Amino acid sequence: MSNSFGKIFKITTYGESHGVGIGVIIDGCPAGVKVDEAFLQSEMQRRKPGQSKITTQRKEEDVVEILSGIFDGVTTGTPIALGIRNTNQKSKDYSHIKDSYRPSHADYTYQEKYGVRDYRGGGRSSARETAARVAAGAIAKMYLEQAGINIQAYVSQVGSLKLEKQYQEMDLNKAEENIVRCPDPTMADKMIQHIDDTRKSRDTIGGIVSCVITGTPVGLGEPVFDKLHAILGQAMLSINAVKGFEYGSGFEGVKMYGSEHNDRFETENGKVKTTTNHSGGIQGGISNGQDIYFNVAFKPIATIMNDQESIDKDGNKVTVKGKGRHDPCVVPRAVPIVEAMAALTIADFMLRAKTNKI
Amino acid sequence: MSNSFGKIFKITTYGESHGVGIGVIIDGCPAGVKVDEAFLQSEMQRRKPGQSKITTQRKEEDVVEILSGIFDGVTTGTPIALGIRNTNQKSKDYSHIKDSYRPSHADYTYQEKYGVRDYRGGGRSSARETAARVAAGAIAKMYLEQAGINIQAYVSQVGSLKLEKQYQEMDLNKAEENIVRCPDPTMADKMIQHIDDTRKSRDTIGGIVSCVITGTPVGLGEPVFDKLHAILGQAMLSINAVKGFEYGSGFEGVKMYGSEHNDRFETENGKVKTTTNHSGGIQGGISNGQDIYFNVAFKPIATIMNDQESIDKDGNKVTVKGKGRHDPCVVPRAVPIVEAMAALTIADFMLRAKTNKI
Amino acid sequence: MSNSFGKIFKITTYGESHGVGIGVIIDGCPAGVKVDEAFLQSEMQRRKPGQSKITTQRKEEDVVEILSGIFDGVTTGTPIALGIRNTNQKSKDYSHIKDSYRPSHADYTYQEKYGVRDYRGGGRSSARETAARVAAGAIAKMYLEQAGINIQAYVSQVGSLKLEKQYQEMDLNKAEENIVRCPDPTMADKMIQHIDDTRKSRDTIGGIVSCVITGTPVGLGEPVFDKLHAILGQAMLSINAVKGFEYGSGFEGVKMYGSEHNDRFETENGKVKTTTNHSGGIQGGISNGQDIYFNVAFKPIATIMNDQESIDKDGNKVTVKGKGRHDPCVVPRAVPIVEAMAALTIADFMLRAKTNKI
Amino acid sequence: MSNSFGKIFKITTYGESHGVGIGVIIDGCPAGVKVDEAFLQSEMQRRKPGQSKITTQRKEEDVVEILSGIFDGVTTGTPIALGIRNTNQKSKDYSHIKDSYRPSHADYTYQEKYGVRDYRGGGRSSARETAARVAAGAIAKMYLEQAGINIQAYVSQVGSLKLEKQYQEMDLNKAEENIVRCPDPTMADKMIQHIDDTRKSRDTIGGIVSCVITGTPVGLGEPVFDKLHAILGQAMLSINAVKGFEYGSGFEGVKMYGSEHNDRFETENGKVKTTTNHSGGIQGGISNGQDIYFNVAFKPIATIMNDQESIDKDGNKVTVKGKGRHDPCVVPRAVPIVEAMAALTIADFMLRAKTNKI
């Protein structure tokens, strides 16, 4: 396995869905970051299950305990360990999949790879793991905030319902004012209705989370393999259910001519800027000081409430029952996870950039 | 910088566009791989400039010298160093950009990040660096071939010209029979014409490279952060001019319902397979034995033959002349690069998977 | 900081002496290792304070809680998190060093490096951190035992009292039969007396821990930088209070001629062996199948019960009081720590060696 | 294999003794280091064979070619590749060991580990690889010199001839004035005579290299596993023929009481210093601003000119002829290698320390 992310601001997560608990060690957080525990806990609330009618009704309080690395409200440079106890596991809910492989889940691949698996709730492959990322991401956000960097994600698509407005045209703070986390209230209502309909039909639906990072200095990203967008891409693709990543002009940009796509440099009040930003704030894998923006595609999650045909570990046909408490659409709860992974990526590059010159 | 890729089968590349040469060290290639030097050189031919009328007319022979790690035609387990001399640099071509920032290039970001840059031909930020990747990828391919794994990329879109056929409907070997590397001859002709028209208008155009990996065992990929598709994504996004990555159902998959998207398991001749493959051969970040397929979006490259307005390092307005010898569309030459990065990724995961069980 | 050790069997530790707790994540332990919780706890007992009259009288029960990665008594290949709560911190004992720098401690260097420090009991620099290593080492030992590898350390020197017998001349199991952990009972008595005398004079004394590893296959160690003895050396030198490391003939070997020092190969029952073993079981950085043995030098620990002159953070002269509960000699309790670090090193190389050949 | 060293200032070496050439990539050298090619080449001269009557009479000019990463005499932050062609290989000298295992060499372990080996001159296991380290170390030294850090190694023991003077009592610059590199002229003469006598008896002898680092800032070293002395230890132990490492009071320190061993802090001209330096300039794994000093033990090298009994790969008894051109004592040529590895270690920690605080 590889449960670490980052080169300097490095996290390592642990824990299974239905084990004793989950958590994370942050190794390499610089000393001197002021830590606001209430903010940390509030980030957990944004991700936690049961927060609205369009999320799973499972209840996890996700209280984070700080075990080390913070003293008198400030990071000390030593490893920060954050632990979360699992409190609401209904393990018996999962006995039906002990020997069966749920379609498009990781049951089969884990069993083959390791020869053994903790089948309860998906074990390590469960998206419960992302709670640890959100906790670590909250620390990264506090570090970045002190450097003037802001990260804001929001839902821009649910199924075929696509928000056509660009991020500059909206007040992104409005995203947190509705349960689907779309900054456009009209579209938000439609999305909520669509998710609720999907839930009633015992099905699931996909969506897209968009994210904007403002305030980054010029110089983040480490070519040639750890280009800023390459590691952002890895970070996002490592989140459960993600199928695609694009930044700046993205997939649409392939249709453009170079003469249209190129971002012209100019100076404004002595500061270099570009008149357009198809580059998405990144040139040659390095931030250029403009806004960084990207999209993350989430598939419809695999757990549906309807019965499905599958096989068991011996290859026999079985019917997998639609049981448990799950999200009809993952994107509302994915918003803080995308932000957390973005924050962890940027925090790491902030530190790496300190070593570029003598 | 971070010029290494891979955890066990690890490459480190070096070299600037107009320096003495470029190259790569492969550290961690297992002993016992039979090395076919002719194949290695033929891979270089697929990437080299000047190969057809729709690529740059720059000439680089890109002869690879094997410096270490191979003895009596077999890898010895020691580091394999491959060197390529630069032979056709016309450095004076670049004096005009010594102090100017070309739009959407890395001139500005490198200058700011390092305080100094080798401006000749983009220096380290030039796509010339990818020649070293192709050389290393050729070694990875030889290793994978002996394990029965095949990697095949092709051009599936140029500008708005999109190949609608799925990879299963075509003979992918036909991709190498035309200069744009599209396996559909009719579409290939259209694409070639489109690129040629773009070249004549002194502009550039984007495109998409698709890739299919067959023959992988179940179990490749290291959750939770080094999921197979997450590292494939990083690998692809690290290639010059890439703006997006998607695998399996990708961005289109967000529109689907879970009941449609889920891939049903069944057994065929005692072997587990899925009836559909929206998962793109990867579940929970681990290969499931089905075909792995993905798309990589390339922007129109930034170097165009028309003059462009920009600024110099002091912020003064300048006109950047359209000079040099460049590709009107990068995707035909990107095909072997995508394959190389895929081969390097899979080779690394093949070795990592050996350590999963006692 | 760098709180991780190992490339594949990788541990990351956290925790301060007087914080909430300490612990470790093991990422990369192969699936299928049978876990004996009683053995894990018994290893903790060997390191814990208060175990005899010649150790600190501080009491810590060091109960390890398994938080993840083990299911039905077997490792699952997912990260194994082990947590230990701190129970007996007397933080007020340390208020006297809040602003003072204890001689030969890490107070000054931590303060300068990070600008802030958790001064209670040395915080992160306390040897309490090694409890997490012993817990992780116990898992490594279980893995190695299933591969037939055994690790045994013992005390071979206390102050000037040096055990002249070679390890082959003694029954190393006897080391656990006395409180100083020296396999020679007569010498053990002398050492115990010496430590007790030192304790009574409110002083501390150094010592040497020797270690023997048997049953390793040929092929462990990854040249040229991760030679087996180089990483063993790093592992040992990373333990608190260690000043030196030597393996095989060590420092004495420099006096020998090559004709004496060279170990002659021969075969015995079809198996390759050497007639002497000055190489210490390692040639060219790779295990050769013979016993691996090495010595680790520990300085007298810096905390003494007598008052000492020093300075405070403003450079003023202060007297540091001899307070707290500390070990007069660290080596008896260091034995399981040396074993743990050796086990972690060997476990990592066992996994790395799986990737040497196709 | 693992042919990389360093986390940020990271080197990767390649090359076999009798292949095309050897070399190194430095990835992570900060931009802005002024490079003096003459100094680089002069460092190679200090290590090269054939430099005096007490070294091997093999001739290698070891001319370093700079392939990338330096532009207009300054490092650019991109990877620095340095190549050295092998020019004086007499490969036929080694046909006699194609199938035989030389005693205390790496022939047997490489063969078993990889199933194949380049037997010519030891291939990758040859100390020829260290030429690449010296080249990289020269770049590291130029970086450190600009930061006011100086590294000086010298020979302090040959066989039983031990220099009893401490480094403070001598002018270390005198070490380069004689061929054995001992700063005490009288002892130097004795050592030279001893090595020459050993050479005449067709044998080899061991020795110790001592090293002193001055001018380091407080704060280098990354606990808990990458303590400054732990990585210095790994660095030194990774050099061919090294059997032991100790720093500060080292193995002798175990005999001391804490009350003697502790280094008292005081201030001098507003600067913190210690009155003694048993700590060797490192406390808690972090540099404290005092001189760093350590010893490295080298065994007598295994290649002797007398015939030796051994076995071949099939286990048959063979006589290994004493052939080739080799060093009777490795320490004079090891001095620049020890310095190079120290420089690489310190350079890496200088960069890592930049990330400790916000």
Side-chain angles (χ1 to χ4, degrees):
Chain A
M1 292 208 101
S2 187
N3 296 286
S4 294
F5 180 78
K7 292 276 172 75
I8 295 181
F9 194 108
K10 183 167 61 169
I11 65 165
T12 305
T13 70
Y14 69 85
E16 278 83 34
S17 177
H18 286 63
V20 177
I22 62 171
V24 60
I25 301 176
I26 307 170
D27 191 15
C29 181
V33 177
K34 283 176 202 145
V35 174
D36 176 348
E37 287 196 46
F39 175 74
L40 166 56
Q41 203 54 50
S42 71
E43 287 290 282
M44 302 308 293
Q45 300 298 314
R46 294 175 68 208
R47 196 213 73 100
K48 82 169 180 181
Q51 64 183 266
S52 79
K53 68 174 180 177
I54 59 169
T55 69
T56 170
Q57 294 309 300
R58 217 169 46 235
K59 298 278 182 197
E60 285 277 2
E61 282 313 308
D62 288 349
V63 176
V64 178
E65 184 182 23
I66 298 174
L67 298 165
S68 67
I70 295 166
F71 186 62
D72 284 347
V74 173
T75 60
T76 61
T78 63
I80 300 167
L82 305 173
I84 303 164
R85 296 271 155 174
N86 290 334
T87 55
N88 190 28
Q89 319 95 308
K90 298 195 177 177
S91 298
K92 67 178 184 316
D93 278 8
Y94 294 98
S95 54
H96 64 298
I97 54 162
K98 183 179 174 184
D99 297 318
S100 298
Y101 299 140
R102 291 169 297 167
S104 288
H105 268 279
D107 303 333
Y108 170 65
T109 51
Y110 267 69
Q111 184 69 39
E112 288 293 305
K113 186 177 183 71
Y114 299 109
V116 56
R117 77 182 206 277
D118 180 347
Y119 54 81
R120 300 168 302 169
R124 182 66 182 155
S125 72
S126 165
R128 175 141 188 76
E129 182 269 341
T130 58
R133 304 186 187 200
V134 170
I139 304 291
K141 279 186 172 184
M142 293 180 223
Y143 165 46
L144 295 180
E145 192 196 23
Q146 295 175 32
I149 297 171
N150 186 264
I151 296 169
Q152 181 105 40
Y154 60 94
V155 171
S156 63
Q157 188 164 342
V158 170
S160 298
L161 288 171
K162 184 176 179 178
L163 183 66
E164 297 292 347
K165 289 180 186 165
Q166 299 303 304
Y167 74 88
Q168 301 91 334
E169 305 169 50
M170 300 177 290
D171 176 2
L172 298 188
N173 291 316
K174 287 193 182 301
E176 293 297 313
E177 294 178 2
N178 59 68
I179 58 177
V180 77
R181 295 199 166 90
C182 173
D184 182 278
T186 311
M187 179 56 87
D189 287 346
K190 288 184 199 168
M191 288 171 168
I192 292 166
Q193 189 60 49
H194 189 19
I195 295 174
D196 211 38
D197 291 346
T198 302
R199 181 183 63 78
K200 285 173 185 158
S201 62
R202 306 176 68 81
D203 213 331
T204 60
I205 188 77
I208 292 179
V209 174
S210 298
C211 185
V212 184
I213 307 171
T214 58
T216 51
V218 186
L220 305 188
E222 299 292 326
V224 296
F225 293 108
D226 291 359
K227 286 174 175 162
L228 176 46
H229 57 271
I231 299 300
L232 270 179
Q234 182 206 344
M236 297 307 146
L237 288 156
S238 78
I239 301 171
N240 305 49
V242 172
K243 303 295 286 187
F245 169 85
E246 60 179 1
Y247 79 104
S249 61
F251 275 88
E252 280 302 302
V254 307
K255 299 176 186 167
M256 296 172 79
Y257 288 101
S259 54
E260 300 170 278
H261 194 278
N262 281 357
D263 297 316
R264 209 170 84 191
F265 285 110
E266 57 175 23
T267 51
E268 192 177 71
N269 303 324
K271 206 162 162 275
V272 174
K273 56 166 284 190
T274 61
T275 51
T276 52
N277 186 15
H278 298 113
S279 298
I282 303 170
Q283 290 172 331
I286 300 167
S287 64
N288 68 358
Q290 306 303 298
D291 292 350
I292 295 166
Y293 64 96
F294 57 86
N295 296 321
V296 187
F298 290 81
K299 70 169 186 176
I301 58 170
T303 309
I304 61 177
M305 291 300 98
N306 288 313
D307 292 357
Q308 298 176 89
E309 292 189 18
S310 189
I311 58 171
D312 66 15
K313 65 178 184 171
D314 300 317
N316 302 312
K317 288 193 178 182
V318 293
T319 298
V320 176
K321 291 282 176 192
K323 271 194 187 176
R325 297 155 296 171
H326 302 280
D327 291 276
C329 181
V330 77
V331 288
R333 288 178 59 209
V335 164
I337 305 169
V338 165
E339 289 180 5
M341 291 308 300
L344 292 164
T345 303
I346 299 295
D348 192 41
F349 281 121
M350 285 287 285
L351 292 169
R352 294 173 76 175
K354 289 190 175 194
T355 67
N356 293 149
K357 303 177 201 170
I358 55 169
Chain B
M1 292 208 101
S2 188
N3 296 284
S4 294
F5 180 79
K7 293 275 172 75
I8 295 181
F9 193 109
K10 183 167 62 169
I11 65 166
T12 304
T13 70
Y14 68 85
E16 278 83 35
S17 177
H18 287 63
V20 177
I22 62 170
V24 61
I25 300 176
I26 307 169
D27 192 14
C29 180
V33 177
K34 282 176 202 146
V35 174
D36 176 348
E37 286 197 45
F39 174 74
L40 166 56
Q41 204 53 52
S42 71
E43 286 290 283
M44 302 308 293
Q45 299 299 312
R46 293 175 69 207
R47 196 214 73 100
K48 82 169 181 181
Q51 64 184 264
S52 79
K53 68 174 181 178
I54 58 169
T55 70
T56 170
Q57 294 308 300
R58 217 167 48 235
K59 297 280 181 196
E60 285 278 1
E61 281 314 308
D62 287 348
V63 176
V64 179
E65 184 181 23
I66 298 174
L67 298 165
S68 68
I70 294 166
F71 187 60
D72 285 347
V74 172
T75 60
T76 61
T78 63
I80 300 167
L82 305 173
I84 304 165
R85 294 271 155 174
N86 290 335
T87 56
N88 189 29
Q89 320 94 308
K90 298 195 177 176
S91 298
K92 67 180 184 316
D93 277 8
Y94 294 97
S95 55
H96 64 298
I97 54 163
K98 183 179 174 185
D99 297 319
S100 298
Y101 299 139
R102 291 170 296 168
S104 288
H105 269 280
D107 303 334
Y108 170 65
T109 50
Y110 268 69
Q111 184 69 41
E112 289 293 306
K113 186 176 182 71
Y114 299 108
V116 56
R117 78 182 206 277
D118 181 347
Y119 53 82
R120 302 168 302 168
R124 183 67 183 155
S125 72
S126 165
R128 175 141 189 75
E129 182 268 340
T130 58
R133 304 186 187 201
V134 170
I139 304 291
K141 279 186 172 185
M142 293 180 223
Y143 165 47
L144 295 179
E145 192 195 23
Q146 294 174 33
I149 297 171
N150 185 263
I151 296 169
Q152 180 106 41
Y154 60 94
V155 171
S156 63
Q157 188 164 342
V158 169
S160 297
L161 288 171
K162 184 175 177 179
L163 183 65
E164 297 293 346
K165 288 180 187 166
Q166 298 303 305
Y167 74 88
Q168 302 92 334
E169 304 169 50
M170 300 177 290
D171 175 1
L172 298 188
N173 291 315
K174 286 194 183 302
E176 292 297 313
E177 294 178 2
N178 59 67
I179 58 177
V180 77
R181 293 199 166 90
C182 173
D184 181 279
T186 310
M187 179 55 89
D189 287 346
K190 288 184 199 168
M191 287 171 168
I192 292 166
Q193 189 61 49
H194 189 19
I195 295 175
D196 210 38
D197 291 347
T198 302
R199 181 182 62 78
K200 285 174 185 157
S201 62
R202 305 176 68 82
D203 213 332
T204 59
I205 187 79
I208 291 179
V209 174
S210 297
C211 186
V212 184
I213 307 172
T214 57
T216 50
V218 186
L220 306 187
E222 298 293 326
V224 296
F225 293 109
D226 291 359
K227 286 173 175 162
L228 177 46
H229 57 270
I231 300 300
L232 270 177
Q234 182 207 344
M236 297 306 146
L237 288 156
S238 77
I239 300 172
N240 304 50
V242 171
K243 302 295 285 188
F245 169 85
E246 61 179 0
Y247 79 104
S249 61
F251 275 86
E252 280 302 302
V254 308
K255 300 175 185 167
M256 295 171 79
Y257 287 101
S259 54
E260 301 169 278
H261 194 277
N262 281 357
D263 297 315
R264 209 171 83 189
F265 286 110
E266 57 176 22
T267 51
E268 192 176 72
N269 303 323
K271 207 163 161 274
V272 174
K273 55 167 284 191
T274 60
T275 51
T276 53
N277 186 16
H278 297 112
S279 299
I282 303 171
Q283 290 172 331
I286 299 168
S287 64
N288 68 358
Q290 306 302 300
D291 292 350
I292 295 166
Y293 63 96
F294 57 85
N295 295 321
V296 186
F298 290 81
K299 71 169 185 176
I301 59 171
T303 309
I304 62 177
M305 290 301 96
N306 288 312
D307 292 356
Q308 297 177 91
E309 292 189 18
S310 189
I311 57 171
D312 65 16
K313 64 178 184 171
D314 300 318
N316 303 313
K317 287 194 179 182
V318 294
T319 298
V320 176
K321 292 281 176 191
K323 272 193 185 177
R325 296 156 297 171
H326 301 280
D327 291 275
C329 181
V330 77
V331 288
R333 288 178 59 210
V335 164
I337 305 168
V338 165
E339 289 180 6
M341 291 309 300
L344 291 164
T345 304
I346 299 295
D348 192 40
F349 281 120
M350 284 287 285
L351 293 169
R352 294 173 76 175
K354 289 189 177 196
T355 67
N356 294 147
K357 302 177 201 170
I358 54 169
Chain C
M1 293 208 100
S2 188
N3 296 284
S4 295
F5 181 77
K7 291 277 171 75
I8 295 181
F9 194 109
K10 184 167 61 168
I11 66 165
T12 304
T13 70
Y14 69 85
E16 277 83 35
S17 177
H18 287 62
V20 178
I22 63 171
V24 61
I25 301 176
I26 306 169
D27 192 15
C29 179
V33 177
K34 281 176 204 148
V35 174
D36 176 348
E37 285 197 46
F39 174 74
L40 166 57
Q41 204 53 52
S42 70
E43 286 290 282
M44 302 307 294
Q45 299 298 313
R46 294 175 68 209
R47 195 213 74 100
K48 81 168 181 182
Q51 63 185 265
S52 79
K53 68 173 181 178
I54 59 169
T55 70
T56 170
Q57 295 308 299
R58 216 168 47 236
K59 298 279 183 197
E60 284 279 359
E61 282 314 309
D62 288 348
V63 176
V64 179
E65 184 181 23
I66 298 174
L67 298 164
S68 67
I70 295 166
F71 186 61
D72 284 347
V74 173
T75 61
T76 61
T78 63
I80 300 167
L82 306 173
I84 304 164
R85 295 271 155 175
N86 290 335
T87 55
N88 190 28
Q89 319 95 307
K90 296 195 178 176
S91 298
K92 68 180 183 317
D93 278 7
Y94 294 97
S95 54
H96 64 298
I97 55 162
K98 183 179 174 186
D99 297 318
S100 299
Y101 299 140
R102 291 170 296 168
S104 288
H105 268 281
D107 302 334
Y108 170 64
T109 51
Y110 267 69
Q111 184 69 40
E112 287 294 304
K113 186 177 183 71
Y114 299 109
V116 56
R117 78 182 206 276
D118 180 348
Y119 54 81
R120 301 168 302 169
R124 183 67 183 154
S125 72
S126 165
R128 174 140 188 76
E129 182 268 341
T130 58
R133 303 185 186 201
V134 170
I139 304 291
K141 280 186 173 185
M142 294 180 222
Y143 165 47
L144 295 179
E145 192 195 23
Q146 295 174 33
I149 297 171
N150 185 265
I151 296 169
Q152 180 106 39
Y154 60 93
V155 171
S156 63
Q157 187 164 340
V158 169
S160 297
L161 289 171
K162 184 175 178 178
L163 182 66
E164 296 293 347
K165 288 181 187 165
Q166 298 304 304
Y167 74 88
Q168 301 92 333
E169 306 168 50
M170 301 177 290
D171 175 2
L172 298 187
N173 291 315
K174 287 193 182 302
E176 293 297 314
E177 294 178 3
N178 59 66
I179 59 177
V180 77
R181 295 200 165 91
C182 172
D184 182 279
T186 311
M187 178 56 88
D189 287 346
K190 289 184 197 168
M191 288 172 169
I192 293 166
Q193 188 62 48
H194 189 20
I195 295 174
D196 210 37
D197 290 346
T198 302
R199 182 181 64 78
K200 284 172 186 159
S201 62
R202 305 175 70 82
D203 212 332
T204 60
I205 188 76
I208 292 179
V209 174
S210 298
C211 186
V212 184
I213 308 172
T214 57
T216 52
V218 186
L220 305 188
E222 299 291 326
V224 295
F225 293 108
D226 291 0
K227 286 173 176 163
L228 177 46
H229 57 270
I231 300 299
L232 270 178
Q234 182 206 344
M236 298 306 146
L237 288 156
S238 77
I239 300 172
N240 304 49
V242 172
K243 303 295 284 187
F245 169 85
E246 61 180 358
Y247 77 104
S249 60
F251 275 87
E252 281 301 302
V254 308
K255 300 176 185 166
M256 296 171 78
Y257 288 101
S259 54
E260 301 170 277
H261 193 277
N262 281 356
D263 296 317
R264 210 172 83 189
F265 285 110
E266 58 176 22
T267 51
E268 192 176 72
N269 303 324
K271 207 163 163 275
V272 174
K273 57 166 283 190
T274 61
T275 51
T276 54
N277 186 16
H278 297 112
S279 298
I282 302 171
Q283 290 171 331
I286 299 167
S287 65
N288 68 357
Q290 307 303 300
D291 292 350
I292 295 166
Y293 63 96
F294 57 86
N295 295 321
V296 186
F298 289 81
K299 70 169 186 176
I301 58 170
T303 309
I304 60 177
M305 292 299 97
N306 288 312
D307 292 357
Q308 297 177 91
E309 292 189 19
S310 188
I311 57 172
D312 66 16
K313 64 178 184 171
D314 300 318
N316 302 313
K317 288 192 178 182
V318 292
T319 298
V320 176
K321 292 280 177 194
K323 271 195 187 176
R325 298 155 297 171
H326 302 280
D327 290 276
C329 180
V330 77
V331 288
R333 288 178 58 210
V335 164
I337 305 169
V338 165
E339 289 180 5
M341 291 309 299
L344 291 164
T345 302
I346 299 295
D348 192 40
F349 281 121
M350 284 287 285
L351 292 170
R352 294 173 76 174
K354 289 190 176 196
T355 68
N356 294 147
K357 304 177 200 170
I358 56 169
Chain D
M1 294 207 98
S2 188
N3 295 284
S4 295
F5 180 78
K7 292 277 171 75
I8 295 181
F9 195 109
K10 183 168 62 169
I11 66 165
T12 305
T13 70
Y14 69 85
E16 277 83 35
S17 177
H18 286 63
V20 177
I22 63 170
V24 61
I25 300 175
I26 307 169
D27 192 14
C29 180
V33 177
K34 282 177 203 147
V35 174
D36 176 348
E37 286 196 47
F39 174 73
L40 167 56
Q41 203 54 50
S42 70
E43 286 290 282
M44 301 309 294
Q45 300 298 313
R46 294 174 69 208
R47 196 213 73 100
K48 80 168 181 181
Q51 63 183 265
S52 79
K53 68 174 181 178
I54 59 168
T55 70
T56 169
Q57 294 308 300
R58 215 169 47 236
K59 298 278 183 197
E60 285 278 0
E61 282 313 308
D62 288 349
V63 176
V64 178
E65 184 181 23
I66 297 174
L67 298 165
S68 68
I70 295 167
F71 187 62
D72 285 347
V74 173
T75 60
T76 60
T78 62
I80 300 167
L82 306 173
I84 303 165
R85 294 271 154 174
N86 290 335
T87 55
N88 190 29
Q89 321 94 308
K90 297 194 177 177
S91 298
K92 67 179 182 321
D93 277 9
Y94 294 98
S95 54
H96 65 298
I97 54 161
K98 183 179 174 185
D99 298 318
S100 298
Y101 299 139
R102 290 170 296 168
S104 287
H105 268 281
D107 303 334
Y108 170 64
T109 51
Y110 267 69
Q111 185 69 40
E112 288 294 305
K113 186 176 182 71
Y114 298 108
V116 55
R117 78 182 207 275
D118 180 349
Y119 53 83
R120 301 168 302 169
R124 183 67 182 155
S125 71
S126 165
R128 174 141 188 74
E129 183 269 340
T130 59
R133 303 186 187 200
V134 170
I139 304 291
K141 279 186 172 184
M142 294 180 221
Y143 165 48
L144 296 179
E145 192 195 24
Q146 296 174 33
I149 298 171
N150 186 264
I151 296 169
Q152 181 107 38
Y154 60 94
V155 170
S156 63
Q157 188 165 341
V158 170
S160 297
L161 289 171
K162 184 175 178 178
L163 183 66
E164 296 293 347
K165 289 181 186 165
Q166 297 304 304
Y167 74 89
Q168 301 92 333
E169 305 169 50
M170 300 177 291
D171 176 1
L172 298 188
N173 291 315
K174 286 194 183 302
E176 293 297 312
E177 294 177 3
N178 59 66
I179 59 177
V180 76
R181 295 200 165 90
C182 173
D184 182 277
T186 311
M187 179 56 88
D189 287 345
K190 288 184 199 167
M191 287 172 169
I192 292 166
Q193 189 60 50
H194 189 19
I195 295 175
D196 210 36
D197 291 346
T198 302
R199 181 183 63 79
K200 284 174 185 157
S201 62
R202 305 176 69 80
D203 213 332
T204 59
I205 186 78
I208 291 179
V209 175
S210 296
C211 186
V212 183
I213 308 172
T214 58
T216 51
V218 185
L220 306 188
E222 299 292 326
V224 295
F225 294 108
D226 291 359
K227 287 173 175 164
L228 177 46
H229 56 271
I231 298 300
L232 270 178
Q234 182 206 344
M236 298 307 147
L237 289 156
S238 78
I239 300 172
N240 303 51
V242 172
K243 303 295 285 187
F245 169 85
E246 61 179 359
Y247 79 104
S249 61
F251 275 88
E252 280 302 303
V254 308
K255 300 175 186 168
M256 297 173 77
Y257 287 100
S259 54
E260 301 170 276
H261 194 278
N262 281 355
D263 297 317
R264 209 172 84 188
F265 285 109
E266 59 176 22
T267 51
E268 191 176 73
N269 304 324
K271 205 163 163 276
V272 174
K273 56 167 283 189
T274 61
T275 51
T276 52
N277 187 16
H278 298 112
S279 299
I282 303 170
Q283 290 171 331
I286 299 167
S287 64
N288 69 357
Q290 305 304 300
D291 293 349
I292 295 165
Y293 62 97
F294 57 87
N295 296 321
V296 186
F298 289 81
K299 70 169 186 176
I301 59 170
T303 309
I304 61 177
M305 292 299 98
N306 288 312
D307 292 355
Q308 296 177 92
E309 291 189 20
S310 189
I311 58 171
D312 66 15
K313 65 177 184 172
D314 300 318
N316 302 312
K317 288 193 177 182
V318 293
T319 299
V320 176
K321 292 281 176 194
K323 273 193 185 176
R325 297 156 296 171
H326 301 281
D327 291 276
C329 181
V330 77
V331 288
R333 289 178 59 210
V335 164
I337 305 169
V338 164
E339 289 180 5
M341 291 308 300
L344 292 164
T345 303
I346 299 295
D348 192 41
F349 280 121
M350 284 288 284
L351 293 169
R352 294 173 76 174
K354 289 190 176 195
T355 68
N356 294 147
K357 303 177 199 169
I358 54 168

